Amino acid sequence: MTRMFGTDGVRGIANKDLTCDLAFKLGQAAVRFLGKTILVGKDTRQSGDMLEAAVFAGITSMGGTALSAGIIPTPGVAFLVQELHADGGIVISASHNPPEYNGIKYFDGKGFKLPDEVEDRIEAFIVAGGPAPEELPNGDEVGVVLPVDDACELYISHAVEAVASQGVDFDGMRIALDAGHGASALTSREALERLGAEVIAINEDFCGTDINVKCGSTNLEPLRALVKASGAEVGIAHDGDADRVMMVSAEGDEIDGDMMEAVLAIDMKQRGCLPGNTAVSTVMCNLGLTKALGEAGIQVVQTKVGDRYVLECMRERGYALGGEQSGHMILLEHNSTGDGLMTAVQFLAAVRRMGKTAGEAAAVMTRFPQELINVRVSDKAAVLANAAVAEAVKAAEQAMGQTGRVLLRPSGTEPLVRVMVEAATSEDAKSHAQAIAAVVEAELGL
C-alpha cells in the first residue's frame, strides 16, 4: 500500500485524491495528535476554500479551536504557530505543483514538520476510521473557528525586523518580484518595500487556477524579462506557498538554492553565526557547492532529498543553515521551516555587506553542468528495482568515472522519476541523462 504522506504532507489532485472526507479526517487527526488549538493557513488555489472548510469541520468536531490565518505563505504558518502558542499548524497547499493539485501538511507546536513515525500514527488513525462516535463532543464542547486578522502582518514584521536588527536596509535597491499568483502576493513586496527597496512586481493577482502556471520559481522566464525591462539589480521568484525562492541576477543569470546557500554560509561564518562551520544540503546539491564552501573552510553535510530531512539533520547536530537547490532554505535562527521571503532578505543583506551585486556574490560558486529530466511513469516505486534502468545508470557512471555522478529518484509528490546527471561538460550531462531517461520511459512510462 502506498504511504499516505509524501515528502511534504498529503498531496494529490483536489477532490479526487485529496477529498473533503480525507481533509476532514486530517483535521480530526490534528487535534488527536497535536492538541486542541490548530492554526490553519492556505495558498491561493481554488480548492483551498473547499478543503479549508473540511479541515475546520474536522478540528471543531473534535472540540478543537481552529485559528484561521487565511491566505498566507507556508513559513508564515510555521512562524505563527510559535508566536500564537498554538498546539500545531496545518497548511493547505501543494507548493510548486499545478493548480489542480492541493495538499495538507502539518507543523507541531514549535513550527516543525512532523517526523515519519507521527505521520504513520496519523495514517493508521485515519485508515482505522478516525475517532469512535462516543469520543466526539457535543453541545458547548464542539469547537470553534477564530480568525487571525493580522496573520500576514505579523509574518511581514518578523522578516523585516530580522534584517533591520542587523543594521542593514535596501535603500536604493531596485528589485523585480514574481509572486507566482500565490500566497507571497500578500507579503513579499510589502516586506521588501519596508526595508527601503523599490519593487516592480508581476503575478500578484490570483484567481485560483493560475498559481505556478508559467511563472514563479519553477519558470523564471517572466522574471528574467522583468529584470531586463525594469533595470532591476536582482529578481526574486516564489512558488505558490512561498516556502522557496529562486533569483535572477541583473545579467539574467539564475541564482539557485545552492548559490544562495553558498553566499549565506560564507556570510554567516564571517559573522560568527555558522555553528560547526557546517551547512546542510541534500544529495541533489551541485558539486560546485561543496567545492566553494570547502575552499571557504565550510563543511557540507548531505541528506536525503526533502527539506524535512535537511531540517532533521540540522536539529540533531545543532546546525543553523540548510537548503536545497530548488530554493528551499532553512535559517533556524529565524524560522523553523523553508522560508522564501526570509531567505531572500537574508541573501540580499549578505550581498549588501559584501558590497557586491547579487550576481557578483553568487559567483563565489561555479555550478557544475547538471541535467535533470522528469519522466512520467506508471509506477515510480518500481524504478529502483528495474534491472534495465540499473544497467543504464551503471553504464553512465562507468563512462564518467570521477568526473560526474548520477542520481535517480522517484518524486515524493508526483508520478515522476527524476533523472539527474552531473558531468564535466553540459554535453556529457545531457547525453547521459537522456540515455537513462529513455530507458526509464521504455520500461515504466505511461
Side-chain angles (χ1 to χ4, degrees):
M1 180 176 134
T2 303
R3 188 171 184 266
M4 182 182 294
F5 287 85
T7 55
D8 199 17
V10 179
R11 196 174 295 187
I13 295 175
N15 224 24
K16 178 182 177 183
D17 307 310
L18 181 54
T19 63
C20 289
D21 179 61
L22 179 53
F24 173 77
K25 291 175 180 175
L26 288 165
Q28 289 184 315
V31 177
R32 168 63 65 87
F33 293 95
L34 300 178
K36 286 283 192 177
T37 305
I38 307 296
L39 180 74
V40 181
K42 61 184 177 182
D43 67 19
T44 60
R45 293 164 203 273
Q46 186 166 313
S47 59
D49 290 350
M50 173 187 75
L51 294 172
E52 179 187 57
V55 167
F56 285 162
I59 292 170
T60 54
S61 76
M62 293 285 284
T65 297
L67 302 179
S68 175
I71 294 173
I72 188 171
T74 285
V77 172
F79 168 70
L80 288 173
V81 164
Q82 306 166 73
E83 191 76 0
L84 301 178
H85 305 289
D87 296 312
I90 284 178
V91 178
I92 301 166
S93 171
S95 191
H96 62 285
N97 289 156
E100 64 270 21
Y101 283 79
N102 217 323
I104 291 176
K105 51 190 169 187
Y106 294 105
F107 290 107
D108 68 16
K110 294 182 179 179
F112 293 113
K113 292 181 181 178
L114 306 186
D116 288 347
E117 64 94 6
V118 177
E119 289 182 343
D120 289 342
R121 288 166 59 201
I122 290 173
E123 180 171 349
F125 169 78
I126 291 171
V127 170
E134 60 271 18
E135 295 181 72
L136 296 176
N138 53 64
D140 61 3
E141 294 182 348
V142 171
V144 296
V145 179
L146 301 176
V148 183
D149 295 327
D150 57 350
C152 282
E153 171 57 32
L154 290 169
Y155 173 62
I156 292 167
S157 297
H158 172 62
V160 171
E161 177 57 26
V163 173
S165 64
Q166 299 172 15
V168 180
D169 62 48
F170 300 158
D171 285 350
M173 184 177 287
R174 178 176 288 183
I175 298 173
L177 171 68
D178 183 352
H181 301 298
S184 66
L186 304 185
T187 53
S188 286
R189 179 208 282 264
E190 181 66 24
L192 293 166
E193 287 182 341
R194 288 189 196 178
L195 286 165
E198 175 190 358
V199 181
I200 303 94
I202 55 174
N203 300 324
E204 289 188 306
D205 60 321
F206 49 86
C207 66
T209 60
D210 53 3
I211 186 171
N212 298 321
V213 176
K214 298 180 180 179
C215 63
S217 64
T218 54
N219 187 333
L220 295 178
E221 292 314 308
L223 181 62
R224 282 196 177 94
L226 181 63
V227 167
K228 182 177 180 180
S230 65
E233 58 187 88
V234 66
I236 295 171
H238 294 297
D239 62 334
D241 69 336
D243 64 349
R244 67 172 70 183
V245 63
M246 296 287 277
M247 295 191 181
V248 170
S249 71
E251 296 74 32
D253 296 323
E254 177 182 304
I255 302 174
D256 66 14
D258 287 345
M259 292 176 157
M260 284 182 266
E261 184 164 8
V263 172
L264 288 166
I266 292 170
D267 177 70
M268 290 172 68
K269 183 187 178 189
Q270 291 173 344
R271 292 189 290 125
C273 55
L274 186 69
N277 287 330
T278 298
V280 182
S281 189
T282 76
V283 292
M284 286 287 284
C285 77
N286 193 278
L287 289 171
L289 175 63
T290 57
K291 184 174 184 293
L293 292 188
E295 291 172 354
I298 298 170
Q299 178 188 8
V300 177
V301 174
Q302 294 180 324
T303 72
K304 293 191 295 184
V305 174
D307 63 316
R308 62 184 300 162
Y309 302 114
V310 171
L311 178 60
E312 285 176 9
C313 176
M314 293 171 67
R315 294 181 70 190
E316 287 171 4
R317 304 187 191 184
Y319 300 139
L321 174 67
E324 295 185 285
Q325 189 179 81
S326 60
H328 277 109
M329 205 68 55
I330 304 169
L331 297 102
L332 274 184
E333 179 186 353
H334 303 294
N335 208 341
S336 53
T337 193
D339 190 333
L341 174 57
M342 186 63 73
T343 300
V345 296
Q346 292 297 329
F347 174 85
L348 294 176
V351 168
R352 275 284 163 116
R353 278 189 286 270
M354 293 176 182
K356 297 180 178 181
T357 66
E360 289 168 345
V364 70
M365 175 189 144
T366 301
R367 186 193 288 119
F368 277 56
Q370 187 181 80
E371 187 74 16
L372 176 64
I373 300 176
N374 292 324
V375 183
R376 192 164 290 273
V377 296
S378 56
D379 183 2
K380 62 186 179 183
V383 68
L384 300 179
N386 187 279
V389 173
E391 188 60 33
V393 170
K394 182 179 178 181
E397 289 176 335
Q398 289 179 338
M400 292 185 293
Q402 298 300 310
T403 65
R405 66 182 182 125
V406 176
L407 184 64
L408 193 73
R409 72 176 190 91
S411 167
T413 58
E414 297 178 83
L416 301 173
V417 169
R418 306 194 192 281
V419 180
M420 191 275 282
V421 176
E422 278 181 347
T425 68
S426 57
E427 292 79 11
D428 284 348
K430 186 173 183 178
S431 64
H432 288 304
Q434 287 177 338
I436 296 169
V439 175
V440 173
E441 186 166 19
E443 292 288 311
L444 302 168
L446 296 174

